[in-house]
Amino acid sequence: MDITPTAPRLLVVVAHPDDEAFGCGSVLAHATAHGFRSTVVCATRGELGEPAPGSGLTRTDLPAARERELRAACALLGVERVELLGYRDSGVDGDPEPGSLAAAEPDRLREQVARLVEEVRPDVVVTLDASDGHRDHAAMRDATLAALDDVSHRPAVTYLFCLARSLMTAFTAVDTLGTPDEEITHLVDVADLLDLRWRAIRTHASQVPPFDAMDPALQRGFLAVDRLRQVDPPWPGGPVADSWIPAVGTDHDPVHHTERKALR
Ligand SMILES: [Zn+2]
């Protein structure tokens, strides 16, 4: 599909390189296939990720390698612009280091996201549900949702990219992780994007994807369906939707009903 200056726009806000592929990979691929221009905002360079065995990477090499992987995965997924906010990965616990995302002033982070929303003027915003309990994911989710109150351009719709509780329980045997399935408002079949999604995942060669530890059925559960929770405007209720693309347009380029139908 042609990419035109008036194409609809998607902004995906994440914390670490690989969140955009392990998490939102098929949202981005789906957006590209439907003519969206996408921007990925990533807060850190994933400094505290565990280098994959055999990658030959040290902690010192890791940030540059992970930035390259992020940019390569985004290119593969058709993302037009990647913005790094320059924080350090906080890791899952412990005292936050200076410069880490967990040490960031929430108002400053909110301002940074708001500035990008004003600049990009997205129709759709997607951020993480943070239901895996990682504090960096929660920081970006909270900053993104707070930023919506500060912007003159409010996106048509904002979603959380969800890890379903049923799948997280099956994977971890912990039943408090994941977004409760009944809170998920959108289930989008992205099975046709699986090959591309896997290529984007494998682009992050410095990391071992969690999917490698799953049996094929569970892998498919995580990767063949995108689960989103509409948070702004609040989900009005009713049956779960099968497309996240807004049915009515915005100030600059409506996504017409015909295109929405073509998705189904
Ligand atoms: Zn992450």
mmCIF file of all heavy atoms in Angstrom, residues 100-142:
data_model
loop_
_atom_site.group_PDB
_atom_site.id
_atom_site.type_symbol
_atom_site.label_atom_id
_atom_site.label_comp_id
_atom_site.label_asym_id
_atom_site.label_seq_id
_atom_site.Cartn_x
_atom_site.Cartn_y
_atom_site.Cartn_z
ATOM 1 N N SER A 100 18.833 5.727 35.130
ATOM 2 C CA SER A 100 17.972 4.612 34.718
ATOM 3 C C SER A 100 16.523 5.098 34.601
ATOM 4 O O SER A 100 16.146 6.122 35.184
ATOM 5 C CB SER A 100 18.073 3.451 35.703
ATOM 6 O OG SER A 100 17.474 3.815 36.932
ATOM 7 N N LEU A 101 15.753 4.316 33.893
ATOM 8 C CA LEU A 101 14.349 4.690 33.686
ATOM 9 C C LEU A 101 13.592 4.731 35.010
ATOM 10 O O LEU A 101 12.760 5.612 35.233
ATOM 11 C CB LEU A 101 13.712 3.691 32.709
ATOM 12 C CG LEU A 101 12.309 3.992 32.216
ATOM 13 C CD1 LEU A 101 12.202 5.379 31.606
ATOM 14 C CD2 LEU A 101 11.893 2.930 31.199
ATOM 15 N N ALA A 102 13.923 3.802 35.917
ATOM 16 C CA ALA A 102 13.225 3.778 37.207
ATOM 17 C C ALA A 102 13.572 4.994 38.063
ATOM 18 O O ALA A 102 12.817 5.365 38.964
ATOM 19 C CB ALA A 102 13.555 2.492 37.959
ATOM 20 N N ALA A 103 14.717 5.625 37.759
ATOM 21 C CA ALA A 103 15.105 6.819 38.513
ATOM 22 C C ALA A 103 14.573 8.097 37.858
ATOM 23 O O ALA A 103 14.734 9.194 38.397
ATOM 24 C CB ALA A 103 16.626 6.899 38.621
ATOM 25 N N ALA A 104 13.953 7.955 36.690
ATOM 26 C CA ALA A 104 13.486 9.138 35.948
ATOM 27 C C ALA A 104 12.336 9.809 36.698
ATOM 28 O O ALA A 104 11.499 9.134 37.301
ATOM 29 C CB ALA A 104 13.032 8.736 34.553
ATOM 30 N N GLU A 105 12.309 11.106 36.619
ATOM 31 C CA GLU A 105 11.212 11.890 37.177
ATOM 32 C C GLU A 105 9.970 11.621 36.314
ATOM 33 O O GLU A 105 9.983 11.878 35.109
ATOM 34 C CB GLU A 105 11.623 13.369 37.119
ATOM 35 C CG GLU A 105 10.661 14.351 37.698
ATOM 36 C CD GLU A 105 10.284 14.034 39.134
ATOM 37 O OE1 GLU A 105 11.216 13.821 39.959
ATOM 38 O OE2 GLU A 105 9.066 13.964 39.399
ATOM 39 N N PRO A 106 8.880 11.099 36.902
ATOM 40 C CA PRO A 106 7.715 10.761 36.074
ATOM 41 C C PRO A 106 7.187 11.928 35.234
ATOM 42 O O PRO A 106 6.794 11.728 34.081
ATOM 43 C CB PRO A 106 6.663 10.304 37.094
ATOM 44 C CG PRO A 106 7.463 9.820 38.256
ATOM 45 C CD PRO A 106 8.703 10.667 38.300
ATOM 46 N N ASP A 107 7.239 13.154 35.789
ATOM 47 C CA ASP A 107 6.728 14.297 35.015
ATOM 48 C C ASP A 107 7.594 14.594 33.795
ATOM 49 O O ASP A 107 7.097 15.010 32.752
ATOM 50 C CB ASP A 107 6.647 15.556 35.881
ATOM 51 C CG ASP A 107 5.441 15.494 36.815
ATOM 52 O OD1 ASP A 107 4.571 14.622 36.599
ATOM 53 O OD2 ASP A 107 5.388 16.301 37.760
ATOM 54 N N ARG A 108 8.898 14.362 33.939
ATOM 55 C CA ARG A 108 9.832 14.597 32.828
ATOM 56 C C ARG A 108 9.563 13.571 31.706
ATOM 57 O O ARG A 108 9.516 13.912 30.528
ATOM 58 C CB ARG A 108 11.264 14.469 33.365
ATOM 59 C CG ARG A 108 12.343 14.326 32.355
ATOM 60 C CD ARG A 108 12.873 15.674 31.897
ATOM 61 N NE ARG A 108 13.905 15.501 30.866
ATOM 62 C CZ ARG A 108 13.775 15.941 29.627
ATOM 63 N NH1 ARG A 108 12.706 16.603 29.243
ATOM 64 N NH2 ARG A 108 14.748 15.750 28.760
ATOM 65 N N LEU A 109 9.342 12.329 32.121
ATOM 66 C CA LEU A 109 9.073 11.258 31.173
ATOM 67 C C LEU A 109 7.749 11.520 30.436
ATOM 68 O O LEU A 109 7.650 11.379 29.216
ATOM 69 C CB LEU A 109 8.990 9.956 31.964
ATOM 70 C CG LEU A 109 9.180 8.648 31.241
ATOM 71 C CD1 LEU A 109 10.487 8.626 30.467
ATOM 72 C CD2 LEU A 109 9.163 7.499 32.264
ATOM 73 N N ARG A 110 6.776 11.931 31.197
ATOM 74 C CA ARG A 110 5.459 12.269 30.637
ATOM 75 C C ARG A 110 5.583 13.385 29.605
ATOM 76 O O ARG A 110 4.983 13.329 28.526
ATOM 77 C CB ARG A 110 4.584 12.668 31.829
ATOM 78 C CG ARG A 110 3.286 13.332 31.500
ATOM 79 C CD ARG A 110 2.602 13.689 32.799
ATOM 80 N NE ARG A 110 1.328 14.342 32.535
ATOM 81 C CZ ARG A 110 0.302 14.353 33.382
ATOM 82 N NH1 ARG A 110 0.401 13.741 34.556
ATOM 83 N NH2 ARG A 110 -0.821 14.952 33.082
ATOM 84 N N GLU A 111 6.396 14.401 29.935
ATOM 85 C CA GLU A 111 6.632 15.514 29.006
ATOM 86 C C GLU A 111 7.302 15.035 27.725
ATOM 87 O O GLU A 111 6.959 15.490 26.637
ATOM 88 C CB GLU A 111 7.636 16.488 29.638
ATOM 89 C CG GLU A 111 7.057 17.720 30.239
ATOM 90 C CD GLU A 111 8.193 18.480 30.927
ATOM 91 O OE1 GLU A 111 9.255 18.758 30.289
ATOM 92 O OE2 GLU A 111 8.014 18.753 32.123
ATOM 93 N N GLN A 112 8.268 14.140 27.871
ATOM 94 C CA GLN A 112 8.976 13.642 26.682
ATOM 95 C C GLN A 112 8.028 12.889 25.766
ATOM 96 O O GLN A 112 8.073 13.049 24.551
ATOM 97 C CB GLN A 112 10.134 12.727 27.100
ATOM 98 C CG GLN A 112 11.304 13.482 27.684
ATOM 99 C CD GLN A 112 12.422 12.530 28.092
ATOM 100 O OE1 GLN A 112 12.245 11.720 29.006
ATOM 101 N NE2 GLN A 112 13.551 12.611 27.428
ATOM 102 N N VAL A 113 7.176 12.069 26.358
ATOM 103 C CA VAL A 113 6.208 11.317 25.532
ATOM 104 C C VAL A 113 5.206 12.290 24.906
ATOM 105 O O VAL A 113 4.886 12.195 23.724
ATOM 106 C CB VAL A 113 5.499 10.215 26.343
ATOM 107 C CG1 VAL A 113 4.452 9.510 25.489
ATOM 108 C CG2 VAL A 113 6.509 9.201 26.884
ATOM 109 N N ALA A 114 4.747 13.265 25.699
ATOM 110 C CA ALA A 114 3.773 14.232 25.179
ATOM 111 C C ALA A 114 4.359 14.989 23.993
ATOM 112 O O ALA A 114 3.681 15.205 22.986
ATOM 113 C CB ALA A 114 3.354 15.212 26.282
ATOM 114 N N ARG A 115 5.629 15.364 24.090
ATOM 115 C CA ARG A 115 6.258 16.103 22.991
ATOM 116 C C ARG A 115 6.266 15.247 21.718
ATOM 117 O O ARG A 115 5.984 15.728 20.624
ATOM 118 C CB ARG A 115 7.678 16.525 23.378
ATOM 119 C CG ARG A 115 8.199 17.661 22.500
ATOM 120 C CD ARG A 115 9.533 18.223 22.972
ATOM 121 N NE ARG A 115 9.607 18.371 24.411
ATOM 122 C CZ ARG A 115 10.580 17.859 25.177
ATOM 123 N NH1 ARG A 115 11.527 17.117 24.624
ATOM 124 N NH2 ARG A 115 10.589 18.063 26.479
ATOM 125 N N LEU A 116 6.543 13.973 21.865
ATOM 126 C CA LEU A 116 6.557 13.089 20.693
ATOM 127 C C LEU A 116 5.152 12.890 20.126
ATOM 128 O O LEU A 116 4.976 12.806 18.913
ATOM 129 C CB LEU A 116 7.204 11.753 21.051
ATOM 130 C CG LEU A 116 8.733 11.856 21.008
ATOM 131 C CD1 LEU A 116 9.375 10.798 21.877
ATOM 132 C CD2 LEU A 116 9.235 11.743 19.571
ATOM 133 N N VAL A 117 4.165 12.827 20.995
ATOM 134 C CA VAL A 117 2.779 12.700 20.500
ATOM 135 C C VAL A 117 2.417 13.950 19.693
ATOM 136 O O VAL A 117 1.839 13.856 18.606
ATOM 137 C CB VAL A 117 1.781 12.481 21.664
ATOM 138 C CG1 VAL A 117 0.338 12.550 21.172
ATOM 139 C CG2 VAL A 117 2.034 11.137 22.347
ATOM 140 N N GLU A 118 2.807 15.114 20.190
ATOM 141 C CA GLU A 118 2.517 16.367 19.462
ATOM 142 C C GLU A 118 3.223 16.378 18.105
ATOM 143 O O GLU A 118 2.683 16.858 17.114
ATOM 144 C CB GLU A 118 2.981 17.592 20.263
ATOM 145 C CG GLU A 118 2.245 17.784 21.575
ATOM 146 C CD GLU A 118 0.830 18.353 21.430
ATOM 147 O OE1 GLU A 118 0.237 18.269 20.328
ATOM 148 O OE2 GLU A 118 0.313 18.866 22.439
ATOM 149 N N GLU A 119 4.441 15.848 18.090
ATOM 150 C CA GLU A 119 5.235 15.868 16.875
ATOM 151 C C GLU A 119 4.715 14.862 15.841
ATOM 152 O O GLU A 119 4.562 15.170 14.676
ATOM 153 C CB GLU A 119 6.657 15.475 17.280
ATOM 154 C CG GLU A 119 7.746 16.195 16.547
ATOM 155 C CD GLU A 119 9.085 15.720 17.101
ATOM 156 O OE1 GLU A 119 9.423 16.127 18.242
ATOM 157 O OE2 GLU A 119 9.756 14.930 16.413
ATOM 158 N N VAL A 120 4.449 13.657 16.305
ATOM 159 C CA VAL A 120 4.056 12.571 15.398
ATOM 160 C C VAL A 120 2.580 12.689 15.004
ATOM 161 O O VAL A 120 2.190 12.303 13.922
ATOM 162 C CB VAL A 120 4.347 11.198 16.062
ATOM 163 C CG1 VAL A 120 3.783 10.042 15.258
ATOM 164 C CG2 VAL A 120 5.852 11.022 16.274
ATOM 165 N N ARG A 121 1.763 13.228 15.891
ATOM 166 C CA ARG A 121 0.307 13.337 15.696
ATOM 167 C C ARG A 121 -0.283 11.981 15.293
ATOM 168 O O ARG A 121 -0.918 11.823 14.240
ATOM 169 C CB ARG A 121 -0.026 14.413 14.660
ATOM 170 C CG ARG A 121 0.488 15.798 15.088
ATOM 171 C CD ARG A 121 0.183 16.872 14.061
ATOM 172 N NE ARG A 121 -1.254 17.112 13.918
ATOM 173 C CZ ARG A 121 -1.999 17.796 14.778
ATOM 174 N NH1 ARG A 121 -1.447 18.301 15.879
ATOM 175 N NH2 ARG A 121 -3.278 17.965 14.568
ATOM 176 N N PRO A 122 -0.103 10.991 16.142
ATOM 177 C CA PRO A 122 -0.581 9.645 15.779
ATOM 178 C C PRO A 122 -2.107 9.546 15.829
ATOM 179 O O PRO A 122 -2.755 10.208 16.632
ATOM 180 C CB PRO A 122 0.039 8.757 16.863
ATOM 181 C CG PRO A 122 0.216 9.663 18.035
ATOM 182 C CD PRO A 122 0.518 11.016 17.471
ATOM 183 N N ASP A 123 -2.622 8.685 14.958
ATOM 184 C CA ASP A 123 -4.037 8.302 15.040
ATOM 185 C C ASP A 123 -4.209 7.257 16.130
ATOM 186 O O ASP A 123 -5.234 7.205 16.791
ATOM 187 C CB ASP A 123 -4.489 7.698 13.711
ATOM 188 C CG ASP A 123 -4.365 8.696 12.595
ATOM 189 O OD1 ASP A 123 -5.306 9.483 12.419
ATOM 190 O OD2 ASP A 123 -3.311 8.729 11.931
ATOM 191 N N VAL A 124 -3.207 6.399 16.235
ATOM 192 C CA VAL A 124 -3.275 5.273 17.165
ATOM 193 C C VAL A 124 -1.983 5.245 17.991
ATOM 194 O O VAL A 124 -0.893 5.398 17.437
ATOM 195 C CB VAL A 124 -3.428 3.935 16.403
ATOM 196 C CG1 VAL A 124 -3.450 2.760 17.367
ATOM 197 C CG2 VAL A 124 -4.690 3.945 15.539
ATOM 198 N N VAL A 125 -2.131 5.057 19.296
ATOM 199 C CA VAL A 125 -0.984 4.881 20.186
ATOM 200 C C VAL A 125 -1.098 3.498 20.822
ATOM 201 O O VAL A 125 -2.192 3.080 21.234
ATOM 202 C CB VAL A 125 -0.945 5.965 21.283
ATOM 203 C CG1 VAL A 125 0.124 5.662 22.331
ATOM 204 C CG2 VAL A 125 -0.682 7.336 20.662
ATOM 205 N N VAL A 126 0.021 2.790 20.859
ATOM 206 C CA VAL A 126 0.060 1.489 21.539
ATOM 207 C C VAL A 126 1.233 1.507 22.508
ATOM 208 O O VAL A 126 2.352 1.890 22.133
ATOM 209 C CB VAL A 126 0.233 0.330 20.536
ATOM 210 C CG1 VAL A 126 0.381 -1.014 21.269
ATOM 211 C CG2 VAL A 126 -0.940 0.259 19.561
ATOM 212 N N THR A 127 0.975 1.130 23.753
ATOM 213 C CA THR A 127 2.068 0.952 24.694
ATOM 214 C C THR A 127 1.861 -0.377 25.419
ATOM 215 O O THR A 127 0.924 -1.113 25.115
ATOM 216 C CB THR A 127 2.213 2.166 25.638
ATOM 217 O OG1 THR A 127 3.409 2.005 26.431
ATOM 218 C CG2 THR A 127 1.010 2.319 26.557
ATOM 219 N N LEU A 128 2.759 -0.687 26.332
ATOM 220 C CA LEU A 128 2.743 -2.016 26.954
ATOM 221 C C LEU A 128 1.768 -2.057 28.135
ATOM 222 O O LEU A 128 1.602 -1.053 28.833
ATOM 223 C CB LEU A 128 4.159 -2.348 27.448
ATOM 224 C CG LEU A 128 5.258 -2.228 26.385
ATOM 225 C CD1 LEU A 128 6.637 -2.300 27.032
ATOM 226 C CD2 LEU A 128 5.099 -3.330 25.338
ATOM 227 N N ASP A 129 1.183 -3.217 28.381
ATOM 228 C CA ASP A 129 0.300 -3.338 29.550
ATOM 229 C C ASP A 129 1.113 -3.498 30.838
ATOM 230 O O ASP A 129 0.582 -3.331 31.928
ATOM 231 C CB ASP A 129 -0.711 -4.492 29.385
ATOM 232 C CG ASP A 129 -0.054 -5.875 29.451
ATOM 233 O OD1 ASP A 129 1.183 -5.982 29.350
ATOM 234 O OD2 ASP A 129 -0.811 -6.861 29.586
ATOM 235 N N ALA A 130 2.402 -3.808 30.695
ATOM 236 C CA ALA A 130 3.301 -3.953 31.850
ATOM 237 C C ALA A 130 2.838 -5.051 32.800
ATOM 238 O O ALA A 130 3.240 -5.082 33.960
ATOM 239 C CB ALA A 130 3.469 -2.630 32.591
ATOM 240 N N SER A 131 2.053 -5.961 32.292
ATOM 241 C CA SER A 131 1.490 -6.991 33.173
ATOM 242 C C SER A 131 2.477 -8.107 33.472
ATOM 243 O O SER A 131 2.153 -9.051 34.181
ATOM 244 C CB SER A 131 0.229 -7.571 32.537
ATOM 245 O OG SER A 131 0.582 -8.299 31.375
ATOM 246 N N ASP A 132 3.705 -7.987 32.931
ATOM 247 C CA ASP A 132 4.759 -8.935 33.309
ATOM 248 C C ASP A 132 5.487 -8.445 34.556
ATOM 249 O O ASP A 132 6.398 -9.115 35.044
ATOM 250 C CB ASP A 132 5.751 -9.134 32.160
ATOM 251 C CG ASP A 132 6.433 -7.830 31.746
ATOM 252 O OD1 ASP A 132 6.042 -6.752 32.244
ATOM 253 O OD2 ASP A 132 7.362 -7.881 30.919
ATOM 254 N N GLY A 133 5.101 -7.255 35.047
ATOM 255 C CA GLY A 133 5.660 -6.755 36.299
ATOM 256 C C GLY A 133 6.980 -6.018 36.159
ATOM 257 O O GLY A 133 7.568 -5.614 37.160
ATOM 258 N N HIS A 134 7.482 -5.802 34.929
ATOM 259 C CA HIS A 134 8.746 -5.075 34.775
ATOM 260 C C HIS A 134 8.498 -3.581 35.011
ATOM 261 O O HIS A 134 7.647 -2.985 34.363
ATOM 262 C CB HIS A 134 9.333 -5.310 33.389
ATOM 263 C CG HIS A 134 10.798 -4.943 33.282
ATOM 264 N ND1 HIS A 134 11.275 -3.686 33.587
ATOM 265 C CD2 HIS A 134 11.886 -5.679 32.940
ATOM 266 C CE1 HIS A 134 12.596 -3.664 33.413
ATOM 267 N NE2 HIS A 134 12.986 -4.873 33.031
ATOM 268 N N ARG A 135 9.289 -2.996 35.919
ATOM 269 C CA ARG A 135 9.039 -1.593 36.276
ATOM 270 C C ARG A 135 9.282 -0.638 35.117
ATOM 271 O O ARG A 135 8.658 0.429 35.050
ATOM 272 C CB ARG A 135 9.887 -1.193 37.479
ATOM 273 C CG ARG A 135 11.389 -1.418 37.300
ATOM 274 C CD ARG A 135 12.117 -1.115 38.593
ATOM 275 N NE ARG A 135 13.513 -1.530 38.542
ATOM 276 C CZ ARG A 135 14.377 -1.319 39.539
ATOM 277 N NH1 ARG A 135 13.960 -0.710 40.646
ATOM 278 N NH2 ARG A 135 15.617 -1.714 39.447
ATOM 279 N N ASP A 136 10.176 -0.984 34.198
ATOM 280 C CA ASP A 136 10.395 -0.105 33.042
ATOM 281 C C ASP A 136 9.179 -0.098 32.113
ATOM 282 O O ASP A 136 8.827 0.934 31.538
ATOM 283 C CB ASP A 136 11.634 -0.547 32.250
ATOM 284 C CG ASP A 136 12.930 -0.173 32.945
ATOM 285 O OD1 ASP A 136 12.897 0.636 33.903
ATOM 286 O OD2 ASP A 136 13.990 -0.698 32.527
ATOM 287 N N HIS A 137 8.558 -1.250 31.953
ATOM 288 C CA HIS A 137 7.345 -1.310 31.127
ATOM 289 C C HIS A 137 6.255 -0.455 31.774
ATOM 290 O O HIS A 137 5.551 0.301 31.101
ATOM 291 C CB HIS A 137 6.855 -2.755 30.982
ATOM 292 C CG HIS A 137 7.846 -3.659 30.300
ATOM 293 N ND1 HIS A 137 7.749 -5.030 30.330
ATOM 294 C CD2 HIS A 137 8.960 -3.386 29.563
ATOM 295 C CE1 HIS A 137 8.751 -5.560 29.639
ATOM 296 N NE2 HIS A 137 9.506 -4.588 29.174
ATOM 297 N N ALA A 138 6.137 -0.557 33.092
ATOM 298 C CA ALA A 138 5.113 0.222 33.813
ATOM 299 C C ALA A 138 5.400 1.722 33.701
ATOM 300 O O ALA A 138 4.476 2.525 33.519
ATOM 301 C CB ALA A 138 5.063 -0.206 35.274
ATOM 302 N N ALA A 139 6.678 2.094 33.755
ATOM 303 C CA ALA A 139 7.031 3.518 33.657
ATOM 304 C C ALA A 139 6.589 4.091 32.314
ATOM 305 O O ALA A 139 6.037 5.200 32.246
ATOM 306 C CB ALA A 139 8.533 3.710 33.840
ATOM 307 N N MET A 140 6.799 3.322 31.234
ATOM 308 C CA MET A 140 6.425 3.821 29.906
ATOM 309 C C MET A 140 4.909 3.819 29.708
ATOM 310 O O MET A 140 4.353 4.722 29.097
ATOM 311 C CB MET A 140 7.118 3.012 28.804
ATOM 312 C CG MET A 140 8.629 3.157 28.803
ATOM 313 S SD MET A 140 9.205 4.859 29.074
ATOM 314 C CE MET A 140 8.772 5.630 27.510
ATOM 315 N N ARG A 141 4.260 2.801 30.236
ATOM 316 C CA ARG A 141 2.786 2.781 30.169
ATOM 317 C C ARG A 141 2.218 4.001 30.893
ATOM 318 O O ARG A 141 1.394 4.748 30.357
ATOM 319 C CB ARG A 141 2.260 1.496 30.814
ATOM 320 C CG ARG A 141 0.730 1.421 30.896
ATOM 321 C CD ARG A 141 0.282 0.409 31.939
ATOM 322 N NE ARG A 141 0.780 0.761 33.267
ATOM 323 C CZ ARG A 141 0.872 -0.071 34.298
ATOM 324 N NH1 ARG A 141 0.508 -1.323 34.162
ATOM 325 N NH2 ARG A 141 1.347 0.343 35.471
ATOM 326 N N ASP A 142 2.685 4.218 32.117
ATOM 327 C CA ASP A 142 2.135 5.315 32.917
ATOM 328 C C ASP A 142 2.427 6.678 32.279
ATOM 329 O O ASP A 142 1.563 7.553 32.247
ATOM 330 C CB ASP A 142 2.697 5.262 34.342
ATOM 331 C CG ASP A 142 2.236 4.007 35.087
ATOM 332 O OD1 ASP A 142 1.319 3.323 34.580
ATOM 333 O OD2 ASP A 142 2.807 3.716 36.166
#
